[in-house]
Amino acid sequence: MSTSNKITLTSSDGENFEIEEAVAREFEIVANMIEDDCASGSIPLANVTAKDLSAAIEYCKTHVEAGSVENNEEAADKLKKWDEDFLANYDNAMIFNLMLAANYLNCKGLLNLTCQKVADNIKDLQPEEVREIFKIENDFTEEEEAKVRSENEWAFH
């Protein structure tokens, strides 16, 4: 990474992060502020905690440093492995928070990665298990649930 401008991002809990502009531009919300000349001081990110912002910055820094891996299969595999290892460090709650942060920051790569991880985590679970993970209350009566299950048997195997 070249010695470019530094950008200061401030998390919702007041922690400052001074990062390279190239890394900050991975967050589209920040890139837009830079383009609109609104990044002269610290950029407040009201919906992102320091813990989540730190993880998002780590993700973006690694991807910026890796550069384009389009035509380099070995580099692409290495980055994919890094992505898997990166998310393996986090529990579901942190992955959900990171997903919300990526959505707010408009960081497509991180958003796609976290969404895919959640999808992979729930793909073989029963509806009751998914409700528990997402804290969804079952508002069906036993009769309604039995009817849905009988009408959609293919989905419950």
Side-chain angles (χ1 to χ4, degrees):
M1 206 168 1
S2 67
T3 56
S4 64
N5 294 334
K6 298 279 189 177
I7 301 290
T8 302
L9 306 177
T10 304
S11 66
S12 62
D13 39 359
E15 194 168 326
N16 289 324
F17 296 84
E18 188 177 84
I19 62 174
E20 298 285 336
E21 183 177 331
V23 174
R25 284 181 174 275
E26 293 293 297
F27 306 132
E28 206 166 298
I29 190 171
V30 175
N32 290 340
M33 293 178 88
I34 293 169
E35 295 300 321
D36 294 340
D37 287 328
C38 297
S40 57
S42 175
I43 298 174
L45 299 171
N47 293 348
V48 185
T49 66
K51 183 178 178 182
D52 301 333
L53 184 55
S54 177
I57 290 169
E58 179 184 359
Y59 170 87
C60 289
K61 184 175 185 213
T62 300
H63 280 255
V64 166
E65 288 173 351
S68 177
V69 295
E70 250 179 58
N71 298 320
N72 184 340
E73 190 175 332
E74 185 180 332
D77 289 345
K78 185 177 177 184
L79 191 58
K80 183 177 181 180
K81 172 79 171 102
W82 184 90
D83 285 350
E84 290 168 5
D85 293 345
F86 172 70
L87 287 186
N89 294 323
Y90 300 121
D91 61 9
N92 279 341
M94 179 61 182
I95 292 171
F96 293 147
N97 288 340
L98 198 49
M99 184 188 311
L100 292 172
N103 186 52
Y104 174 76
L105 296 166
N106 202 358
C107 181
K108 290 178 177 64
L110 183 56
L111 182 59
N112 289 342
L113 181 67
T114 54
C115 287
Q116 185 62 59
K117 177 69 173 177
V118 170
D120 291 344
N121 286 349
I122 67 170
K123 72 179 175 188
D124 294 324
L125 299 181
Q126 293 299 311
E128 297 78 17
E129 296 169 306
V130 174
R131 281 191 207 110
E132 188 176 318
I133 289 171
F134 290 109
K135 297 173 181 24
I136 299 171
E137 183 182 329
N138 183 2
D139 57 356
F140 284 124
T141 64
E142 283 186 34
E143 295 81 21
E144 290 171 329
E145 187 164 349
K147 182 179 180 205
V148 168
R149 285 181 180 270
S150 69
E151 290 173 351
N152 302 285
E153 278 187 54
W154 59 269
F156 294 96
H157 294 287

